[in-house]
Amino acid sequence: MSQETLSQPVVSLSTRQPQKKSSLFAGDTRLGWLLVTPALLVVLGMVGYPFLEAIRISFTDRMVGRGPGQFVGLANYEYIIGWPDFTEMVVRTVLITIVAVGLKTVIGLILATSLNQDFRGRDVLRGIFMLPWILPTYIIVLVWRWIFDGQTGLLNQVLMSWGLIENNIPFLAKPASAVAALIFVMVWKGYPFYALTFLAGMQTISAELYDAAKVDGAGRLARFRFITLPGLQQIMGVVILLSTIWTMNSLEIPMLLTGGGPSNATEVFPLLTYHLAMQNFRLGEGAALPIMMLPIVALLVLGVASYMDKEATE
Amino acid sequence: MTAAIDRIPNSVFRVISFAVITILFVMVLFPLYFMVTTSFKFESEIYSELTWIPRDPTLTNYRDAIVNFHIPLYLRNTLTVALTTTVIVVLISVLAAYSLTRLRFPGRAAMARGVLFVYLIPGSLMLIPMYLIIVKIGLKDSFSGLVVANMSFSVPFCTWLMMGYLRSISTEIEEASLIDGCTRMMSLRYIVIPLSVPAIITASIFIFNNVWNEYIFALVLAQDDAHKMISVGLANFYRSDYYMVGPMMAGSLIAMTPVVILYILAQRYVVTGLAAGAVKG
């Protein structure tokens, strides 16, 4: 059962055939709009309107508890660009995202390949590997923060008890190790999703292809490169792009793990947005920052959409 | 290089595979193991030195979490919001997905395409305007405000998931029912919805989970105790310099129990929704 259900969505994503037009579909206009209206209202009212509000607010000097604010043109954008750490913050966000997504992809691929063999207890293992993905992010981050803690942290206790260190290491209080810890938690939480979707994709690849390749003398690496990877291309593309969007916009993990510190080493753009708006109460600047990052997100979203369209036409 | 990898005998390759799985497995269980054991330790033991098994198991942390930190209240709040959101979202989204995949009408194609784009709008962009709107309409510190905020990302997601499912199932039975004289609504009620039960369960689990696990909007929108979500309640244990590790681990285990149980009960549905990019990861 489980394997069939696993492969189902992978297939369903790619079976978007254009439906036959028949007289059965005539006269659907009124009912169609009627059924879609509640969802449309939610989207227009709770996504579309806030989205436009975000753009409008970004052109004002609005602050928390001080009325609607004045129109200030591009002042907020100029302020952010002119901010001494701006370039550094963008580079930091992009680098952390690339490293985290890269590691998730590689580890996900390795785990999926390892799990894509027949052995007893595989389904149980797969279930356990789902835990990081299924558990609340905030709990995972709080637990890792305690593990990495410099005073009473578990990692220090473990290293100490094994005699590997003599003094506590403040992992989250040093820039380099804080960034490493942030990426580590992102990867720990994220790679199971990659592994499980890749595994689902691998299981839709016909075993006959591998058998035929073996007969033709293709080695392990050749089979991986010329059968597994092309077979996974579609699903990998979608997963990596989606995950890049989510990783780049991840607020919870840096917020709860490091709060941006030490000395801004982990201050990524969603966190800076939060700090500007909710701690400094500068809503205009807080709204302007994610809008400035929107082109990057938009490119990624278009990438996802084009993958989906490719599926639809294939 | 190529030849080297290919020359590895299958048996060695299997050993390498198991080594990889074992290392990752230990990494997954390490924090979870210490969450459980720490929740049964006295504070003095937690801070003094490493113990793999609680020296003197105690339920103090659980009592602390339940009595002093209002965990049951937060759980009830979260359950209210999560259930309400799930029911409303599933209802709205199933109707929309049916309309967008089965009915032909002008504007359908554009809306069907738009669903994905709306789903992918980053939360960091929505945070400030959503906060201001919720405050403006007087829903700050209310369950309704939290339901509204959660609906904003759940409706596009659930509609997208349901559309993918409806596209993948055959329309033959539906067409036959229409030829036999069913109206569209009858066909939806008696054929499409019963056929979609697996997808509806999958979607419900993901929505419930997302609301249960949501932290940022919960933090910004509901500060008062009467409406505080469990995520905010637990993260507060870490506020000060003094970490209440024991009660926090106990509270976290209590908070994640419903999620884990739900997931075990419905594992096959969860796996189904995986490749649909169901939960942000």
Side-chain angles (χ1 to χ4, degrees), chain B residues 52-218:
Chain B
W52 289 83
I53 295 162
R55 237 184 273 138
D56 182 14
T58 169
L59 289 173
T60 325
N61 295 321
Y62 287 88
R63 206 194 52 217
D64 249 18
I66 291 167
V67 178
N68 299 341
F69 295 102
H70 313 303
I71 295 293
L73 173 66
Y74 301 153
L75 285 177
R76 208 172 57 216
N77 294 346
T78 313
L79 191 66
T80 310
V81 174
L83 283 180
T84 315
T85 310
T86 308
V87 171
I88 299 176
V89 169
V90 168
L91 207 66
I92 292 177
S93 305
V94 168
L95 295 182
Y98 176 74
S99 166
L100 293 177
T101 51
R102 291 295 195 265
L103 306 178
R104 310 281 111 176
F105 59 95
R108 184 203 66 91
M111 281 192 280
R113 254 189 94 76
V115 174
L116 178 68
F117 288 88
V118 175
Y119 167 44
L120 294 178
I121 292 179
S124 58
L125 183 67
M126 304 300 290
L127 183 66
I128 293 166
M130 188 62 93
Y131 167 76
L132 292 174
I133 290 167
I134 299 276
V135 170
K136 197 170 164 187
I137 58 179
L139 292 182
K140 190 169 181 285
D141 294 325
S142 77
F143 292 145
S144 314
L146 290 164
V147 171
V148 165
N150 279 300
M151 273 171 74
S152 72
F153 24 91
S154 298
V155 167
F157 157 67
C158 184
T159 308
W160 192 55
L161 193 82
M162 290 306 303
M163 282 169 66
Y165 182 79
L166 287 178
R167 283 195 184 108
S168 75
I169 60 174
S170 158
T171 56
E172 272 171 31
I173 311 176
E174 282 167 63
E175 283 169 21
S177 76
L178 293 174
I179 290 166
D180 287 347
C182 270
T183 63
R184 277 287 184 191
M185 288 312 282
M186 283 158 76
S187 164
L188 174 63
R189 165 79 183 72
Y190 294 107
I191 293 166
V192 177
I193 289 181
L195 278 177
S196 307
V197 165
I200 292 174
I201 293 176
T202 307
S204 306
I205 292 167
F206 284 132
I207 297 165
F208 184 90
N209 241 355
N210 279 349
V211 180
W212 191 271
N213 298 347
E214 207 282 325
Y215 172 69
I216 302 291
F217 280 89

Side-chain angles (χ1 to χ4, degrees), chain A residues 80 86 128 146 214-215 295:
Chain A
I80 290 173
F86 177 70
I128 289 170
W146 163 60
K214 260 188 220 167
V215 171

Side-chain angles (χ1 to χ4, degrees), chain A residues 92-115:
Chain A
R92 180 189 305 138
T93 305
V94 170
L95 281 183
I96 289 177
T97 305
I98 290 176
V99 174
V101 169
L103 286 173
K104 285 189 235 185
T105 310
V106 172
I107 298 174
L109 209 49
I110 291 174
L111 179 61
T113 313
S114 302
L115 284 176

